[in-house]
Every structure is written in structure tokens, then in C-alpha cells.
Amino acid sequence: MFAIFVVTCLVAFAGYRLRSLTRSGAVLTVVTGAVIGYGFGWFGLYLLGVFFSTSSLASKYRARDKAPVDEIVEKSGPRDFVQVLANGGVGMVTALGMILAPNDAWLFAYVASIAAATSDTWGSEFGVLAKQKPRSIRTFREVEPGTSGGVSVFGTVMSIVGATVIILASLPFIEIDVTFALVLIALGLSGSVVDTLLGATVQRKYRCRVCGKLTEKKIHHREPTAYVSGWRFLGNDAVNFLSIAAAATISFLLLR
Ligand SMILES: [Zn+2]
């Protein structure tokens, strides 16, 4: 257990130094890593590491080309503790479940939650680089890359690849056959689907009073933005959390 804690601290510190995490994000990563390591051992930590490292690489990949997207999304740059909680909170709950009432269903719910987080991150980090503009899943109209609820073929493919990478990375350590692996990939992808659906419907959206762009930011061009639609309390982090929770819950109920 001590070794798990030390490794978690080292990873969080590295994430902080590499500007993938803010200070608060690094602290919460230690907590998340320790709970997941306690619940699922080295495998849990390893899978978290695969998500964390590939997602950090994905956000740094062609970062300069994604600059326009920073104008739309609520947060960019290092992840703060709310973002860590949004992506790892569900994993932490499944680990607590495993500790309190051991059952393999928690393990598969955990794998599905990490697959969902990766699928969603890959879909958005790579999807915004698609040559074609994404279309809103609700209105089918073209939207700016980075707009929540927008989908592109490339982004969808990368969502599937992201979920697949997590399941492939799990294969050597947990006993699953091909059919089950495909089910887990689908469960991971379901997280991205829920994320997109919520993003297109109830996630809060604002419009800049200066440039007129739709954005998730409360301040744009140094002016407070105007509320357009969605539930005011439902921002990007909450949507992330809910979509990962949905994937984990479906897995748990299915596999219990
Ligand atoms: Zn603006």
C-alpha cells in the first residue's frame, strides 16, 4: 500500500511539473490514485496511468492548432481538481465499492469508467482536429470545432479507438473473452454518447457579447457572456462526470 501511495505521488508530481495538472489537480490525483490503488491494486493504478498519460499526450498533440477551441471550451490547460474529480471520481466510487462490498462487477464498472473517460477525451482532443466541421447531434447543423454536442466522423472514430485502447491495455490482466471485450468497448463508448447528448441539450451555453461566438465561458473578450441555453448548473465538468457515471452504472447493473 505504501508503494502504491509513493508511485501515485510521483505521478501527480510529474503531472504538475509537465503542466498537465494544477496544484489542486495534483493533490486530488494523489487521493484518487490512492483509493483506486487500494481498491483494485496495481492494475487499477496502471489503467488510471494509461488514461492519464494518453489523455495528456492527446491534449498536447497539435496544441497550437487547437487554440481556437480554447475560445469555446470552459477550461483549457492544466487540469484542476474539479476536472480530476469529473474524470476519476466515478473510478474512486467503484474502488470504494470494491473495498466495502467486494464483487467483480465493481472492477468491470471501473474499467468501463476509465474506457468512457478515455473515449470522451480522445474524441474531443482529436475530434477538434477533423478536417470537416462537426455537426450538432441535435440540429445537424455545422458547429465550431469544440462545441459540446457536436460530432464528426473522425472524432467518433477516435472515441472508439480510445475505449479500445483501454480494453486492450486491460486484456493481459483481467479475464475477458472477445465478446466481453467488445461489450466493454461499447460501454466505454456509451460514455461519449451520453456526453454528446447532454452537451447538445442540457449543458449550459453562453454567447460572447463582443464577438458573437457560442462558448462555455462565463467571460469572453473580457466581457461577461450572455446565457443562451441549458441548465445553468450543468457545465462541462458535470457533464463529464455524469456521462462516465452512466457508463459505469450500466456496466455494474449488467455484470452484477
Ligand atoms: Zn468573444
Side-chain angles (χ1 to χ4, degrees):
M1 187 58 211
F2 182 69
I4 282 179
F5 184 69
V6 170
V7 169
T8 310
C9 286
L10 287 175
V11 170
F13 185 68
Y16 174 65
R17 291 303 299 266
L18 292 169
R19 292 168 191 275
S20 292
L21 292 167
T22 66
R23 193 171 300 190
S24 75
V27 171
L28 204 78
T29 297
V30 173
V31 177
T32 310
V35 174
I36 286 173
Y38 191 59
F40 301 119
W42 287 108
F43 169 71
L45 224 50
Y46 151 80
L47 211 57
L48 192 63
V50 176
F51 160 67
F52 188 65
S53 50
T54 60
S55 300
S56 300
L57 286 175
S59 12
K60 292 195 192 302
Y61 176 70
R62 287 178 57 191
R64 216 171 286 172
D65 298 331
K66 295 182 210 164
V69 176
D70 293 347
E71 295 290 306
I72 294 172
V73 295
E74 195 173 347
K75 293 170 183 173
S76 49
R79 287 160 180 254
D80 61 21
F81 81 98
V82 183
Q83 286 167 294
V84 174
L85 203 60
N87 283 290
V90 173
M92 216 163 21
V93 171
T94 60
L96 284 173
M98 190 65 160
I99 295 164
L100 299 173
N103 184 329
D104 271 350
W106 292 117
L107 177 67
F108 295 120
Y110 173 66
V111 174
S113 82
I114 297 294
T118 310
S119 171
D120 189 34
T121 309
W122 280 42
S124 40
E125 290 293 349
F126 290 113
V128 295
L129 297 168
K131 294 228 166 68
Q132 290 168 301
K133 274 197 172 181
R135 280 178 186 274
S136 162
I137 203 169
R138 189 166 57 92
T139 62
F140 301 109
R141 276 196 222 129
E142 281 191 351
V143 290
E144 290 300 315
T147 305
S148 289
V151 287
S152 63
V153 173
F154 182 59
T156 308
V157 169
M158 291 315 279
S159 298
I160 298 171
V161 175
T164 307
V165 163
I166 292 300
I167 305 310
L168 286 179
S170 310
L171 279 183
F173 305 100
I174 55 175
E175 233 171 278
I176 42 178
D177 59 17
V178 176
T179 316
F180 194 23
L182 291 174
V183 170
L184 284 172
I185 292 170
L187 286 166
L189 186 67
S190 74
S192 303
V193 173
V194 172
D195 192 282
T196 307
L197 289 174
L198 292 176
T201 52
V202 288
Q203 183 175 338
R204 65 176 179 230
K205 286 191 174 71
Y206 303 105
R207 192 180 293 283
C208 177
R209 294 174 201 267
V210 180
C211 69
K213 268 194 180 153
L214 268 182
T215 174
E216 295 173 1
K217 290 184 197 293
K218 288 178 179 158
I219 306 280
H220 208 256
H221 285 104
R222 298 187 179 196
E223 292 283 332
T225 49
Y227 163 82
V228 177
S229 62
W231 295 338
R232 284 166 194 268
F233 61 89
L234 200 69
N236 194 51
D237 292 329
V239 165
N240 258 342
F241 180 84
L242 288 176
S243 53
I244 296 170
T249 308
I250 301 170
S251 322
F252 185 80
L253 295 176
L254 206 66
L255 307 170
R256 192 172 40 137

